[in-house]
Amino acid sequence: MKLIQNSCLALLAFLMVSFGELPKKSTNTTEWHTDVAKAVEIAKKKDKPLFFFFTGSDWCGWCIRLQKEVFKTPEFEKWAKDNVVLVELDFPRRAEQAENIKAQNAQLQQLFQVRGYPTVWFVQAQDKEGKINFQQLGSTGYVAGGPTVWIDGANKIIANYVSNKKKKK
């Protein structure tokens, strides 16, 4: 009798796990750049805005939550691939980081006056006399509600992007 009870409990647990709502698996094919100059070149070629994600990847709870709830979902990955060039501007406390990346990230943090994390800036890169200028399209941070709500807000911001194709007409 004890064996049957244990078998039933094991079967019940298996069924609950099998048929319960499982988290969506990310394909994790999203490419995040850390070199802004390289990302600018890609954005120009693909005629897309830049997505600057200012984060404290190894210590910021809201950053980690935004990654988990939005950035690591299939919905976001598809949206990002179609709409933006992703750039992670990280300010870790424990992870090692190259000095040139630290300097680049600090300079952009100051330029965009980032005071808290996570902060996402959508920008358009423009060449002016051999220098890159960033036109701010808008910013956001953590938004509750998952990828659909977050992407809706992002779409409103990137609606301000002026395609290079439109500029040439």
Side-chain angles (χ1 to χ4, degrees):
M1 185 69 170
K2 197 86 154 153
L3 181 62
I4 293 172
Q5 261 182 332
N6 289 342
S7 297
C8 287
L9 288 174
L11 179 60
L12 180 61
F14 172 78
L15 291 173
M16 287 174 67
V17 169
S18 297
F19 294 105
E21 187 172 325
L22 297 174
K24 294 178 182 175
K25 295 265 182 180
S26 166
T27 55
N28 225 2
T29 58
T30 308
E31 185 175 5
W32 287 89
H33 300 278
T34 56
D35 181 339
V36 173
K38 181 180 175 186
V40 165
E41 288 301 314
I42 293 167
K44 287 160 74 178
K45 285 179 189 171
K46 293 185 175 185
D47 196 19
K48 293 180 181 178
L50 291 157
F51 176 111
F52 286 168
F53 175 43
F54 292 87
T55 181
S57 67
D58 64 2
W59 60 268
C60 170
W62 289 105
C63 302
I64 294 165
R65 192 169 178 176
L66 179 59
Q67 289 254 12
K68 181 180 173 187
E69 292 179 13
V70 179
F71 297 168
K72 292 183 179 179
T73 65
E75 297 91 342
F76 176 82
E77 290 178 357
K78 181 183 180 334
W79 174 85
K81 184 178 178 185
D82 294 342
N83 293 287
V84 294
V85 174
L86 299 169
V87 181
E88 182 183 65
L89 302 165
D90 196 8
F91 297 84
R93 290 187 179 160
R94 292 181 296 274
E96 288 295 317
Q97 198 173 40
E99 288 302 318
N100 63 325
I101 297 296
K102 279 185 191 178
Q104 165 200 269
N105 294 358
Q107 185 179 20
L108 289 167
Q109 178 189 30
Q110 189 172 28
L111 178 68
F112 288 95
Q113 300 178 359
V114 174
R115 306 269 185 258
Y117 305 103
T119 298
V120 175
W121 270 100
F122 295 91
V123 299
Q124 184 164 354
Q126 299 174 327
D127 274 327
K128 290 204 177 175
E129 299 168 11
K131 292 184 181 180
I132 300 294
N133 290 326
F134 296 112
Q135 178 186 347
Q136 299 174 348
L137 304 174
S139 67
T140 188
Y142 175 82
V143 177
T148 304
V149 172
W150 200 94
I151 289 168
D152 286 345
N155 282 333
K156 289 176 183 152
I157 295 170
I158 64 171
N160 296 322
Y161 178 76
V162 178
S163 168
N164 291 325
K165 295 170 193 160
K166 289 180 185 176
K167 289 180 195 175
K168 292 177 183 176
K169 288 184 180 179

